[in-house]
């Protein structure tokens, strides 16, 4: 018995599954010799085989041979070629996929769901949102009712390209038609919205929860950070509690933002609770967040807690970050406030403990500036990190009245003299402006 078209098709399919391209091509030649005309299934199997082998030239060559033989291409043939070129992630690949799609439309062949998915995926790889919507519109006009999967693809590409309004419109459309929105699509939309549209991000996340979807821990961290930065401490703290309920950590970025938001809102006790949880997780917040927590404790008359956090901070490598540009003034103001509060409370010992911490940091600042060439004349430039003279005077008087620490009054006076000398030296270094009247007088006398 001579093998027929079904036998050859089955053998070519088996070779395709095994990735044996040479054997499949040999069977095609045997068909031609035997005078058996390949069917659309034969060509479809071969095109699919070349697509999986990432051989676009052979795939196109087979497609062209199919057309020449009089076999009419179907949506599967076109979709296979579109899929092949959509994987490249380049504008050139998208252009070739678009050309094949145009050939498909010219022949009056409507796209199917897989075709639309491949086209949108090709657009997503090069962030071409407008073209993706064009394909979507043309598919709808051709009679295709795009599935939820296609809508979710569009939501993701809009989110990636920061087209959040378009993404929100698609979400509303799917909600109205009771479509099944995929969690990754909504999740990515929430994260995109959180950068600029905090309230919308919260609403979309509530929609996600209403759909019995959880959202990822990464999205919750984005919401904690965004709500804290946007002035919504209640929402930020709520999302933080959701993270904790899942057994997950907020991380240094979201944790720092939450601490600063709680401190700005005057919620020192909540800030302390969050601080304790972050430290148990071995998570160290940003220096500005630590300073805010210390300041909030001091303002709330929780002086022992403020001092404890400061001492804990001194043991961390991040302590050196307080010398970074832009932090000298807030750090100096913080030491001013803390020392004054302890002095008012009659607690000279902790006030001196803070003073010693300030001295260590101040001398480190001076050494850094000298190494960078910012302290001329033997390092007598005015210090970048300094206490106010009023604070030093107050501390000196407290030491003088306290017999146990009276000897430290000399140290504080020495620091005051250092300030005075540096201020005098800085004034002497300033170039003096010579009055123009001298030049006029010399010209008149001359």
């Amino acid at each position: 018995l001579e093998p027929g078209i079904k036998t050859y098709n089955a053998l070519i399919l088996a070779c395709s599954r095994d990735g044996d391209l040479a054997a499949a091509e040999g069977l095609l030649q045997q068909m031609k010799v035997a005078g058996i005309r390949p069917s659309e299934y034969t060509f479809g199997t071969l095109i699919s085989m070349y697509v999986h082998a990432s051989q676009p030239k052979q795939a196109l060559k087979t497609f062209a041979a199919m057309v020449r033989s009089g076999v009419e291409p179907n949506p599967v043939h076109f979709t296979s070629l579109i899929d092949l070129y959509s994987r490249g992630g380049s504008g050139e690949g998208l252009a070739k996929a678009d050309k094949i799609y145009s050939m498909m439309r010219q022949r009056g062949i409507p796209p199917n769901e897989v075709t639309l998915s491949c086209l949108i995926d090709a657009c997503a790889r090069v962030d071409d949102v407008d073209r993706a919507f064009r394909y979507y519109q043309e598919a709808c006009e051709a009679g295709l009712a795009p599935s939820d999967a296609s809508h979710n693809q569009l939501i993701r590409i809009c989110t990636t390209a920061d087209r959040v309004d378009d993404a929100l419109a698609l979400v509303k459309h799917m909600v109205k038609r009771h479509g099944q929105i995929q969690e990754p699509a909504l999740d990515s939309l929430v994260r995109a919205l959180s950068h600029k549209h905090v309230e919308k991000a919260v609403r979309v996340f509530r929609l996600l929860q209403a759909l019995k979807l959880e959202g990822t821990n990464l999205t919750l961290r984005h919401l904690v950070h965004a709500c804290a930065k946007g002035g919504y401490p209640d929402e930020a703290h709520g999302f933080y509690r959701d993270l904790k309920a899942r057994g997950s950590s907020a991380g240094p970025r979201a944790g720092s933002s939450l601490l600063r938001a709680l401190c700005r809102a005057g919620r020192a006790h909540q800030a302390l609770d969050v601080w304790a949880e972050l430290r148990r997780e071995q998570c160290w917040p940003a220096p500005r967040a630590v300073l805010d927590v210390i300041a909030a404790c001091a303002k709330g008359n929780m002086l022992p807690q403020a001092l404890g956090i400061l001492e804990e901070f001194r043991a961390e490598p991040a302590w050196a970050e307080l010398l970074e540009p832009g932090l000298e003034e807030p750090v100096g103001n913080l030491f001013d406030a803390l020392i004054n509060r302890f002095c008012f409370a009659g607690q000279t010992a902790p006030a001196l403990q803070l003073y010693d911490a300030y001295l260590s940091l101040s001398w480190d600042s001076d050494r850094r500036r000298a190494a960078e060439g910012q302290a001329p004349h033997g390092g007598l430039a005015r210090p970048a990190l300094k206490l106010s003279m009023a604070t030093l005077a107050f501390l000196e008087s407290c030491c003088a009245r306290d017999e146990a620490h009276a000897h430290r009054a000399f140290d504080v006076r020495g620091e005051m003299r250092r300030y005075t000398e540096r201020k005098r030296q800085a004034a002497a270094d300033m170039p003096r402006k010579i009055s123009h009247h001298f030049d006029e007088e010399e010209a008149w006398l001359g």
Side-chain angles (χ1 to χ4, degrees), residues 129 133 136 150-159 163-177 181 189:
V129 183
F133 270 102
Y136 172 80
S150 295
H151 286 112
N152 281 291
Q153 270 188 297
L154 282 173
I155 292 171
R156 285 197 294 273
I157 185 177
C158 289
T159 301
R163 296 271 289 269
V164 292
D165 290 334
D166 291 328
L168 283 172
L170 286 165
V171 169
K172 291 176 183 177
H173 171 73
M174 292 187 70
V175 170
K176 286 179 181 178
R177 59 188 288 270
I181 307 178
L189 177 57

Side-chain angles (χ1 to χ4, degrees), residues 240-402:
Y240 172 76
R241 299 316 313 170
D242 291 341
L243 269 173
K244 298 305 298 177
R246 296 183 182 187
S248 181
S249 170
R253 180 172 175 262
S256 299
S257 300
L258 177 59
L259 285 174
R260 300 198 72 187
L262 293 173
C263 291
R264 284 194 298 268
R267 302 178 183 180
H269 290 285
Q270 275 188 337
L272 275 177
D273 291 340
V274 173
W275 165 268
E277 289 173 348
L278 289 173
R279 296 303 297 131
R280 281 196 294 271
E281 296 164 357
Q282 301 297 314
C283 177
W284 190 261
R288 284 188 180 273
V290 181
L291 296 180
D292 285 352
V293 175
I294 296 172
C297 290
K299 189 175 180 180
N301 289 321
M302 293 183 284
L303 298 179
Q305 290 89 335
L307 188 61
I309 293 173
L310 184 71
E311 287 302 313
E312 188 178 1
F313 191 20
R314 285 188 69 184
E316 293 290 328
W319 175 258
E321 295 180 24
L322 295 182
L323 302 177
E324 296 298 325
L327 281 178
E328 290 96 344
E329 185 174 350
V331 170
N333 293 338
L334 177 64
F335 275 105
D336 266 330
L338 287 172
I339 291 173
N340 273 296
R341 285 187 178 273
F342 276 107
C343 287
F344 273 118
Q347 300 182 38
T348 309
L352 285 170
Q353 188 177 347
L354 286 164
Y355 173 70
D356 290 336
Y358 150 76
L359 276 183
S360 173
L361 201 59
S362 177
W363 283 108
D364 286 342
S365 175
D366 288 350
R367 280 192 290 269
R368 174 178 291 192
R369 294 178 73 211
E372 294 172 354
Q374 299 179 28
H377 300 287
L380 289 177
R382 296 181 68 179
L385 176 65
K386 61 187 182 68
L387 296 175
S388 68
M389 288 294 284
T391 298
L392 289 171
F394 192 12
L395 179 60
E396 188 271 338
S397 65
C398 288
C399 290
R401 290 194 302 269
D402 189 334

Side-chain angles (χ1 to χ4, degrees), residues 203-274:
R203 286 202 297 270
V204 174
F205 188 78
R206 297 305 182 203
L207 169 63
L208 188 146
Q209 291 178 316
L211 295 171
K212 308 300 181 183
L213 303 173
E214 292 186 353
T216 61
N217 293 339
L218 176 62
T219 298
L220 279 174
R221 292 189 191 98
H222 272 77
L223 286 171
V224 172
H225 175 72
C227 290
K229 296 282 284 186
Y232 300 96
D234 288 331
E235 288 78 2
H237 193 257
F239 289 127
Y240 172 76
R241 299 316 313 170
D242 291 341
L243 269 173
K244 298 305 298 177
R246 296 183 182 187
S248 181
S249 170
R253 180 172 175 262
S256 299
S257 300
L258 177 59
L259 285 174
R260 300 198 72 187
L262 293 173
C263 291
R264 284 194 298 268
R267 302 178 183 180
H269 290 285
Q270 275 188 337
L272 275 177
D273 291 340
V274 173

